Amino acid sequence: MTQIFAHRGYSASFAENTMGSFIAAEKAGADGIELDVQLSKDGEVVVIHDEKVDRTTSGNGFVKDFLFKDIRKLNANKKGIRKEPIPALEEVLEWLKTNKLICNIEFKNGLIPYEGMEDKVVNLVQKYNLSNRIIFSSFNHYSIVYSYRIAPEIQTAPLFIESIYMPWVYSQSIRAKGIHPRHSTLPDEIIKTTMENGIAVRPYTVNKDAHMRRFFQIDCTAIITDDPVKALNLRKLYQKG
Ligand code: G3P
Ligand code: CA
């Protein structure tokens, strides 16, 4: 059955990359969550998508220029009633110990090369003994190859915006167990062949009914979606058992 990963949590209805959004995804019945990580000025792994805090919080400026104690004061739930801080990755991992969700951690280090971020994330995942429920992804493929070198027990999956030739060959060459392509990138035949070669395929960000139906009908490994509730309803319709 196709797994449903809640993109930045249940971000269609809750503030993205917040504990509220992750908890809502779990309550909805998602199989997993996806989240983005970066480093604060003092080296704390924080969960936020953009390099700057401006779009998603009450503050302004680069994540890398905030001390953790200061970034925690910002409100990451600007449109909501209840104030929510930017989570530390550690807080999310602690909460993951209370449930069975899979967690896809995306290293957001394409623009800012946060030194030592992979090591810090690996140490946290190992501290909480969650290696078998974590998937590392990134558009920065050097980063996931590095994470594989230091922690081969934790699965990796390169992110793609554009199509690549024989993605299963590429994945195997970097020891990745999966690929996370943009949903419109790969035709069904390539997705199927990739899966037949033992490589998981988890397209992002699958929000439209027709796109969800397409991936359910080909029994894709997983979809990454903002709306896990819609996906769960459609999965019931298109996949039995
Ligand atoms: O991991 C899939 C997706 O999250 C990658 O794009 O920009 O939403 O982080 P973005
Ligand atoms: Ca992401």
Side-chain angles (χ1 to χ4, degrees), residues 216-229:
F216 291 141
Q217 283 176 338
I218 61 168
D219 206 13
C220 200
T221 315
I223 58 166
I224 301 173
T225 177
D226 294 336
D227 194 340
V229 171

mmCIF file with all atom_site columns, all heavy atoms in Angstrom, residues 216-229:
data_model
loop_
_atom_site.group_PDB
_atom_site.id
_atom_site.type_symbol
_atom_site.label_atom_id
_atom_site.label_alt_id
_atom_site.label_comp_id
_atom_site.label_asym_id
_atom_site.label_entity_id
_atom_site.label_seq_id
_atom_site.pdbx_PDB_ins_code
_atom_site.Cartn_x
_atom_site.Cartn_y
_atom_site.Cartn_z
_atom_site.occupancy
_atom_site.B_iso_or_equiv
_atom_site.pdbx_formal_charge
_atom_site.auth_seq_id
_atom_site.auth_comp_id
_atom_site.auth_asym_id
_atom_site.auth_atom_id
_atom_site.pdbx_PDB_model_num
ATOM 1   N N   . PHE A 1 216 ? -1.511 6.156  -6.496  1.00 0.00 ? 216 PHE A N   1
ATOM 2   C CA  . PHE A 1 216 ? -2.153 5.014  -5.831  1.00 0.00 ? 216 PHE A CA  1
ATOM 3   C C   . PHE A 1 216 ? -2.350 3.879  -6.843  1.00 0.00 ? 216 PHE A C   1
ATOM 4   O O   . PHE A 1 216 ? -2.164 2.706  -6.521  1.00 0.00 ? 216 PHE A O   1
ATOM 5   C CB  . PHE A 1 216 ? -3.492 5.409  -5.209  1.00 0.00 ? 216 PHE A CB  1
ATOM 6   C CG  . PHE A 1 216 ? -3.363 6.340  -4.019  1.00 0.00 ? 216 PHE A CG  1
ATOM 7   C CD1 . PHE A 1 216 ? -4.257 7.377  -3.811  1.00 0.00 ? 216 PHE A CD1 1
ATOM 8   C CD2 . PHE A 1 216 ? -2.325 6.170  -3.102  1.00 0.00 ? 216 PHE A CD2 1
ATOM 9   C CE1 . PHE A 1 216 ? -4.124 8.231  -2.725  1.00 0.00 ? 216 PHE A CE1 1
ATOM 10  C CE2 . PHE A 1 216 ? -2.185 7.022  -2.003  1.00 0.00 ? 216 PHE A CE2 1
ATOM 11  C CZ  . PHE A 1 216 ? -3.084 8.054  -1.829  1.00 0.00 ? 216 PHE A CZ  1
ATOM 12  N N   . GLN A 1 217 ? -2.737 4.255  -8.063  1.00 0.00 ? 217 GLN A N   1
ATOM 13  C CA  . GLN A 1 217 ? -3.019 3.207  -9.062  1.00 0.00 ? 217 GLN A CA  1
ATOM 14  C C   . GLN A 1 217 ? -1.771 2.428  -9.488  1.00 0.00 ? 217 GLN A C   1
ATOM 15  O O   . GLN A 1 217 ? -1.875 1.274  -9.856  1.00 0.00 ? 217 GLN A O   1
ATOM 16  C CB  . GLN A 1 217 ? -3.758 3.813  -10.261 1.00 0.00 ? 217 GLN A CB  1
ATOM 17  C CG  . GLN A 1 217 ? -5.223 4.054  -9.912  1.00 0.00 ? 217 GLN A CG  1
ATOM 18  C CD  . GLN A 1 217 ? -6.014 4.734  -11.011 1.00 0.00 ? 217 GLN A CD  1
ATOM 19  O OE1 . GLN A 1 217 ? -5.444 5.410  -11.882 1.00 0.00 ? 217 GLN A OE1 1
ATOM 20  N NE2 . GLN A 1 217 ? -7.335 4.590  -10.975 1.00 0.00 ? 217 GLN A NE2 1
ATOM 21  N N   . ILE A 1 218 ? -0.620 3.068  -9.427  1.00 0.00 ? 218 ILE A N   1
ATOM 22  C CA  . ILE A 1 218 ? 0.602  2.314  -9.778  1.00 0.00 ? 218 ILE A CA  1
ATOM 23  C C   . ILE A 1 218 ? 1.300  1.767  -8.525  1.00 0.00 ? 218 ILE A C   1
ATOM 24  O O   . ILE A 1 218 ? 2.419  1.273  -8.597  1.00 0.00 ? 218 ILE A O   1
ATOM 25  C CB  . ILE A 1 218 ? 1.593  3.132  -10.641 1.00 0.00 ? 218 ILE A CB  1
ATOM 26  C CG1 . ILE A 1 218 ? 2.065  4.395  -9.902  1.00 0.00 ? 218 ILE A CG1 1
ATOM 27  C CG2 . ILE A 1 218 ? 1.003  3.474  -11.999 1.00 0.00 ? 218 ILE A CG2 1
ATOM 28  C CD1 . ILE A 1 218 ? 3.247  5.071  -10.582 1.00 0.00 ? 218 ILE A CD1 1
ATOM 29  N N   . ASP A 1 219 ? 0.616  1.900  -7.383  1.00 0.00 ? 219 ASP A N   1
ATOM 30  C CA  . ASP A 1 219 ? 1.154  1.353  -6.128  1.00 0.00 ? 219 ASP A CA  1
ATOM 31  C C   . ASP A 1 219 ? 2.543  1.908  -5.814  1.00 0.00 ? 219 ASP A C   1
ATOM 32  O O   . ASP A 1 219 ? 3.468  1.160  -5.434  1.00 0.00 ? 219 ASP A O   1
ATOM 33  C CB  . ASP A 1 219 ? 1.188  -0.190 -6.221  1.00 0.00 ? 219 ASP A CB  1
ATOM 34  C CG  . ASP A 1 219 ? 1.104  -0.834 -4.845  1.00 0.00 ? 219 ASP A CG  1
ATOM 35  O OD1 . ASP A 1 219 ? 0.771  -0.112 -3.881  1.00 0.00 ? 219 ASP A OD1 1
ATOM 36  O OD2 . ASP A 1 219 ? 1.412  -2.029 -4.747  1.00 0.00 ? 219 ASP A OD2 1
ATOM 37  N N   . CYS A 1 220 ? 2.669  3.200  -5.985  1.00 0.00 ? 220 CYS A N   1
ATOM 38  C CA  . CYS A 1 220 ? 3.931  3.885  -5.705  1.00 0.00 ? 220 CYS A CA  1
ATOM 39  C C   . CYS A 1 220 ? 4.279  3.690  -4.222  1.00 0.00 ? 220 CYS A C   1
ATOM 40  O O   . CYS A 1 220 ? 3.392  3.524  -3.390  1.00 0.00 ? 220 CYS A O   1
ATOM 41  C CB  . CYS A 1 220 ? 3.726  5.366  -6.026  1.00 0.00 ? 220 CYS A CB  1
ATOM 42  S SG  . CYS A 1 220 ? 5.243  6.247  -6.290  1.00 0.00 ? 220 CYS A SG  1
ATOM 43  N N   . THR A 1 221 ? 5.545  3.697  -3.881  1.00 0.00 ? 221 THR A N   1
ATOM 44  C CA  . THR A 1 221 ? 5.958  3.427  -2.494  1.00 0.00 ? 221 THR A CA  1
ATOM 45  C C   . THR A 1 221 ? 5.272  4.364  -1.509  1.00 0.00 ? 221 THR A C   1
ATOM 46  O O   . THR A 1 221 ? 4.756  3.938  -0.473  1.00 0.00 ? 221 THR A O   1
ATOM 47  C CB  . THR A 1 221 ? 7.486  3.621  -2.345  1.00 0.00 ? 221 THR A CB  1
ATOM 48  O OG1 . THR A 1 221 ? 8.150  3.012  -3.433  1.00 0.00 ? 221 THR A OG1 1
ATOM 49  C CG2 . THR A 1 221 ? 7.971  3.067  -1.025  1.00 0.00 ? 221 THR A CG2 1
ATOM 50  N N   . ALA A 1 222 ? 5.304  5.662  -1.819  1.00 0.00 ? 222 ALA A N   1
ATOM 51  C CA  . ALA A 1 222 ? 4.719  6.663  -0.917  1.00 0.00 ? 222 ALA A CA  1
ATOM 52  C C   . ALA A 1 222 ? 4.440  7.922  -1.717  1.00 0.00 ? 222 ALA A C   1
ATOM 53  O O   . ALA A 1 222 ? 4.983  8.104  -2.817  1.00 0.00 ? 222 ALA A O   1
ATOM 54  C CB  . ALA A 1 222 ? 5.677  6.975  0.232   1.00 0.00 ? 222 ALA A CB  1
ATOM 55  N N   . ILE A 1 223 ? 3.588  8.779  -1.160  1.00 0.00 ? 223 ILE A N   1
ATOM 56  C CA  . ILE A 1 223 ? 3.490  10.147 -1.684  1.00 0.00 ? 223 ILE A CA  1
ATOM 57  C C   . ILE A 1 223 ? 3.751  11.105 -0.527  1.00 0.00 ? 223 ILE A C   1
ATOM 58  O O   . ILE A 1 223 ? 3.462  10.783 0.631   1.00 0.00 ? 223 ILE A O   1
ATOM 59  C CB  . ILE A 1 223 ? 2.115  10.462 -2.333  1.00 0.00 ? 223 ILE A CB  1
ATOM 60  C CG1 . ILE A 1 223 ? 0.961  10.261 -1.342  1.00 0.00 ? 223 ILE A CG1 1
ATOM 61  C CG2 . ILE A 1 223 ? 1.913  9.658  -3.607  1.00 0.00 ? 223 ILE A CG2 1
ATOM 62  C CD1 . ILE A 1 223 ? -0.359 10.880 -1.809  1.00 0.00 ? 223 ILE A CD1 1
ATOM 63  N N   . ILE A 1 224 ? 4.291  12.259 -0.879  1.00 0.00 ? 224 ILE A N   1
ATOM 64  C CA  . ILE A 1 224 ? 4.532  13.306 0.115   1.00 0.00 ? 224 ILE A CA  1
ATOM 65  C C   . ILE A 1 224 ? 3.514  14.408 -0.188  1.00 0.00 ? 224 ILE A C   1
ATOM 66  O O   . ILE A 1 224 ? 3.512  14.969 -1.291  1.00 0.00 ? 224 ILE A O   1
ATOM 67  C CB  . ILE A 1 224 ? 5.985  13.828 0.016   1.00 0.00 ? 224 ILE A CB  1
ATOM 68  C CG1 . ILE A 1 224 ? 6.980  12.669 0.243   1.00 0.00 ? 224 ILE A CG1 1
ATOM 69  C CG2 . ILE A 1 224 ? 6.228  14.945 1.014   1.00 0.00 ? 224 ILE A CG2 1
ATOM 70  C CD1 . ILE A 1 224 ? 8.439  13.020 -0.003  1.00 0.00 ? 224 ILE A CD1 1
ATOM 71  N N   . THR A 1 225 ? 2.610  14.658 0.747   1.00 0.00 ? 225 THR A N   1
ATOM 72  C CA  . THR A 1 225 ? 1.496  15.561 0.480   1.00 0.00 ? 225 THR A CA  1
ATOM 73  C C   . THR A 1 225 ? 1.248  16.527 1.632   1.00 0.00 ? 225 THR A C   1
ATOM 74  O O   . THR A 1 225 ? 1.484  16.186 2.796   1.00 0.00 ? 225 THR A O   1
ATOM 75  C CB  . THR A 1 225 ? 0.204  14.747 0.209   1.00 0.00 ? 225 THR A CB  1
ATOM 76  O OG1 . THR A 1 225 ? -0.888 15.656 0.010   1.00 0.00 ? 225 THR A OG1 1
ATOM 77  C CG2 . THR A 1 225 ? -0.159 13.819 1.363   1.00 0.00 ? 225 THR A CG2 1
ATOM 78  N N   . ASP A 1 226 ? 0.722  17.719 1.284   1.00 0.00 ? 226 ASP A N   1
ATOM 79  C CA  . ASP A 1 226 ? 0.333  18.683 2.327   1.00 0.00 ? 226 ASP A CA  1
ATOM 80  C C   . ASP A 1 226 ? -0.947 18.240 3.019   1.00 0.00 ? 226 ASP A C   1
ATOM 81  O O   . ASP A 1 226 ? -1.255 18.718 4.109   1.00 0.00 ? 226 ASP A O   1
ATOM 82  C CB  . ASP A 1 226 ? 0.051  20.065 1.691   1.00 0.00 ? 226 ASP A CB  1
ATOM 83  C CG  . ASP A 1 226 ? 1.280  20.708 1.084   1.00 0.00 ? 226 ASP A CG  1
ATOM 84  O OD1 . ASP A 1 226 ? 2.405  20.372 1.513   1.00 0.00 ? 226 ASP A OD1 1
ATOM 85  O OD2 . ASP A 1 226 ? 1.120  21.552 0.173   1.00 0.00 ? 226 ASP A OD2 1
ATOM 86  N N   . ASP A 1 227 ? -1.733 17.381 2.349   1.00 0.00 ? 227 ASP A N   1
ATOM 87  C CA  . ASP A 1 227 ? -3.073 17.058 2.846   1.00 0.00 ? 227 ASP A CA  1
ATOM 88  C C   . ASP A 1 227 ? -3.249 15.546 3.078   1.00 0.00 ? 227 ASP A C   1
ATOM 89  O O   . ASP A 1 227 ? -3.832 14.834 2.251   1.00 0.00 ? 227 ASP A O   1
ATOM 90  C CB  . ASP A 1 227 ? -4.121 17.560 1.844   1.00 0.00 ? 227 ASP A CB  1
ATOM 91  C CG  . ASP A 1 227 ? -5.522 17.575 2.431   1.00 0.00 ? 227 ASP A CG  1
ATOM 92  O OD1 . ASP A 1 227 ? -5.754 16.853 3.443   1.00 0.00 ? 227 ASP A OD1 1
ATOM 93  O OD2 . ASP A 1 227 ? -6.385 18.290 1.902   1.00 0.00 ? 227 ASP A OD2 1
ATOM 94  N N   . PRO A 1 228 ? -2.736 15.075 4.215   1.00 0.00 ? 228 PRO A N   1
ATOM 95  C CA  . PRO A 1 228 ? -2.823 13.627 4.470   1.00 0.00 ? 228 PRO A CA  1
ATOM 96  C C   . PRO A 1 228 ? -4.260 13.128 4.608   1.00 0.00 ? 228 PRO A C   1
ATOM 97  O O   . PRO A 1 228 ? -4.531 11.960 4.316   1.00 0.00 ? 228 PRO A O   1
ATOM 98  C CB  . PRO A 1 228 ? -2.045 13.451 5.784   1.00 0.00 ? 228 PRO A CB  1
ATOM 99  C CG  . PRO A 1 228 ? -1.998 14.800 6.412   1.00 0.00 ? 228 PRO A CG  1
ATOM 100 C CD  . PRO A 1 228 ? -2.038 15.790 5.303   1.00 0.00 ? 228 PRO A CD  1
ATOM 101 N N   . VAL A 1 229 ? -5.184 13.984 5.014   1.00 0.00 ? 229 VAL A N   1
ATOM 102 C CA  . VAL A 1 229 ? -6.576 13.546 5.186   1.00 0.00 ? 229 VAL A CA  1
ATOM 103 C C   . VAL A 1 229 ? -7.198 13.229 3.825   1.00 0.00 ? 229 VAL A C   1
ATOM 104 O O   . VAL A 1 229 ? -7.800 12.167 3.610   1.00 0.00 ? 229 VAL A O   1
ATOM 105 C CB  . VAL A 1 229 ? -7.398 14.619 5.951   1.00 0.00 ? 229 VAL A CB  1
ATOM 106 C CG1 . VAL A 1 229 ? -8.878 14.279 5.939   1.00 0.00 ? 229 VAL A CG1 1
ATOM 107 C CG2 . VAL A 1 229 ? -6.892 14.730 7.381   1.00 0.00 ? 229 VAL A CG2 1
#
